[in-house]
Each structure stands twice: as C-alpha cells, then as structure tokens.
Amino acid sequence: MRISTALRRPLPAAAALALLLAGCGKDEQPFFQGYAEGEYVYVASSEPGRLADLPVRRGQQVAAGAPLFALEAGRETAAREQASAQLAAASAQLADTATGKRPAEVDVTRAQLAQAEAASQRSAAQLRRDTEQLRIGGIARAQLDESRERARADAARVRELKAQLDVAALPGRDEQRAAQAADVEAARAALAQADWTLAQKRQAAPAAGLVFDTLYRVGEWVPAGSPVVSLLPPGNIKVRLYVPQSALGGLKLGQQLMVRCDGCGDPIPVRIDYISTQAEYTPPVIYSRESRSKLVYMIQARPAPEAAARLHPGQPLEAALQ
C-alpha cells in the first residue's frame, strides 16, 4: 500500500501538541510526557599510561572515594623516589652549614696547634739564648736575626691555628645558608610535584554513584585526559518533560510535580529548576501510552545495592501537577 505524500510530511505544531495530549483526555488530571536524563561524570587521569587495574564493572554502585582505575606508574614512582632523595640531601647540607666542622676535624686542628705551640716555645727560648750570646760576642749578628725570624714564624703559626679553631665552631655564612635553604625548598616543591603526578595514576570516585560504563580494558593504552570510567551520581539524574504552551503559564521554578513511570512504584516528586525560553514544535521522541508497550530494552541482571535508583536515563515518564 502506498502512503500519501501528505501523510509523510512533518506534523505542524498544533497537531503535535494534540497528539502529545491525546492520552490525557481520559484522565481526570492532564499529564506531561518526557524521559529521564543523566549528566555523567567522566573520570580521567591527566597523565597517560597503560591501564593496569580496573576494579569496577559496568552497572556497579560505588561509594565516594572508592578506587576506579589505576595506570602503570613505574616511571612516576622512580621520579618520586629521586625527588625524595634530593630533598634529603639538600636538608642534610642545610643542617651541616649550621654546625661548623666535625669534631674529628677540630681534633686535628687542636693537635696541630699543640705542635705549633711547642715549636714556638723552642724558638722563643733559642732567641733568648742567641740574644745573650750576641751580647758577649759568642755568635754572629746573622744567627740572631735567623733565630728572631724563626720565633716570629712559629708564633704566627700558633695564632693561625687558634683562629682556625674559632672558625671551626662557627656556622656557615648567612648567604650560604640562605642559598642552601632555597635548594631545600626547591627540592620540596619537586617532591610535591612528583607526589601529585604519581597520585594522578590512580583515580577514585569523586562521588557515590553508578558505574555507567568503562571505556577501556586492562592492558590498553590510555591517553592523557581520556575518560576511563563514566559515573552517574544519583543527584545527576534529571527529568526532561515536554509541556504544551497552553500549560506553560501555570508553571514556575521550584514548583513540584509528581512523576510516574512503568515499574517505578509510587509517584516520584520532582521540582522544576529550568523552563526553556524557546519553543520546540515537536519533542525529539514522543512516548505515548499506546506505543510504549512496543518498546523493548536490553537488560543485565545484577543485584541492586540501592533500591532508590528508580529512574534510568532514557526511561519514558509521565508527570502531573501535585
């Protein structure tokens, strides 16, 4: 049988609205038709890598903070260990600049000072003897000069070693300590960055909800920023209804409606949070009571951890004013 060309043309707005409300004529109260819609949360990592672990499955309910997936993190773990070692080294150097020389080094300087003091005492005694010998004519003037220079050199050596002992007890210079402290802060920042990068390899659920889909399998390469798991938190399910313009004036933001759906049990209260400012001549899909019986759904049977999940994206609904 050939269908007339006129019948294949799109329905005008008035006819579409008439069909939309055709099922309402027999009811005491008019209803609006539509469907449930989900706003999904796509969980991804900012770092690329091979998918190493996927502990969740499609259709599973997860709690907030539950692990969703993990990527290989060998390189990031090594980088984190390197940053930790660099921070430890920089901190040790900063502590070293505050203590001066080690006790063993100070002991060596003290021993050298003792030797220098003994040599200074000998040279001072020799100078006194040579001075007396020159007075009685027992030595030449040159020998006395040599003894005097040796005594001066030994005394200077004693003063030098005493000064080294004083310096050994001092901490590092202020500029040196400031530079080393800056190195410590830089190493700490590098460690924080390595920790953050390593943490990006493991992602947890930002909120409790349904694992709507998993987009990769274990062993596959996941590019940076590519979602691995899509979540549907209960608060992200909304109802999209199509209302004739004749009823639009009686609706307002915050108004409560009662939503019904097949197999949902008692009506579900919803509140209007958005009213479109543009008209749609026909909704994308019209579910009527007559055609709804012809719809089929693919289902997967799993234990439902929460009986409150009564609305599903794409499910046809009816809503009426309370």
Side-chain angles (χ1 to χ4, degrees):
M1 180 178 65
R2 296 176 58 86
I3 300 176
S4 172
T5 304
L7 295 178
R8 293 200 300 265
R9 293 176 182 173
L11 291 175
L17 293 178
L19 286 177
L20 182 63
L21 296 177
C24 306
K26 298 179 181 179
D27 290 348
E28 297 180 356
Q29 187 177 17
F31 61 89
F32 311 130
Q33 297 190 6
Y35 55 89
E37 188 173 72
E39 295 178 337
Y40 303 100
V41 176
Y42 295 94
V43 184
S45 172
S46 64
E47 301 297 317
R50 197 172 305 279
L51 185 60
D53 189 22
L54 186 64
V56 297
R57 65 180 184 273
R58 185 179 182 182
Q60 177 181 347
Q61 291 284 345
V62 294
L68 296 180
F69 67 90
L71 305 179
E72 286 182 347
R75 178 174 61 88
E76 289 75 14
T77 300
R80 196 267 176 201
E81 292 176 354
Q82 179 183 3
S84 178
Q86 290 175 346
L87 175 60
S91 299
Q93 290 177 0
L94 178 60
D96 184 65
T97 59
T99 58
K101 288 188 176 182
R102 294 172 296 178
E105 294 175 330
V106 175
D107 291 342
V108 171
T109 305
R110 287 200 179 100
Q112 292 174 347
L113 176 60
Q115 294 176 359
E117 288 175 340
S120 179
Q121 292 173 0
R122 288 194 300 270
S123 60
Q126 184 63 39
L127 177 60
R128 290 192 295 271
R129 288 194 296 269
D130 289 348
T131 301
E132 184 64 24
Q133 288 294 323
L134 179 65
R135 189 180 64 81
I136 63 178
I139 59 172
R141 185 75 180 183
Q143 183 175 349
L144 177 62
D145 293 340
E146 181 179 354
S147 296
R148 184 177 291 111
E149 291 300 325
R150 183 180 299 109
R152 289 176 179 174
D154 290 343
R157 175 63 175 167
V158 170
R159 292 193 297 272
E160 175 189 3
L161 291 173
K162 286 182 178 180
Q164 289 184 4
L165 282 177
D166 293 338
V167 172
L170 296 175
R173 297 187 301 273
D174 292 341
E175 293 79 3
Q176 180 183 6
R177 286 180 53 78
Q180 192 59 46
D183 289 342
V184 171
E185 291 304 317
R188 184 173 288 112
L191 177 59
Q193 182 179 4
D195 284 336
W196 182 86
T197 303
L198 181 59
Q200 288 298 302
K201 291 292 185 156
R202 292 183 175 273
Q203 293 295 321
L210 172 73
V211 177
F212 186 79
D213 201 1
T214 56
L215 308 177
Y216 287 88
R217 288 184 288 270
V218 173
E220 292 183 328
W221 180 263
V222 181
S226 182
V228 177
V229 175
S230 62
L231 286 178
L232 182 58
N236 287 23
I237 297 178
K238 62 183 181 181
V239 174
R240 178 164 291 190
L241 301 170
Y242 294 92
V243 181
Q245 60 86 24
S246 59
L248 189 62
L251 302 178
K252 60 182 180 179
L253 295 178
Q255 186 174 356
Q256 181 170 291
L257 303 178
M258 300 302 293
V259 171
R260 295 177 176 84
C261 58
D262 294 339
C264 293
D266 296 334
I268 302 171
V270 296
R271 289 189 180 273
I272 300 175
D273 62 0
Y274 173 75
I275 299 176
S276 176
T277 58
Q278 295 181 351
E280 297 185 20
Y281 288 99
T282 57
V285 179
I286 299 178
Y287 295 106
S288 66
R289 291 182 173 179
E290 291 76 12
S291 63
R292 195 180 312 158
S293 60
K294 301 179 182 179
L295 296 176
V296 295
Y297 290 86
M298 186 276 295
I299 65 169
Q300 295 184 22
R302 297 182 187 276
E306 296 183 7
R310 300 166 62 188
L311 294 178
H312 306 277
Q315 186 177 22
L317 305 172
E318 294 178 1
L321 296 175
Q322 186 177 11

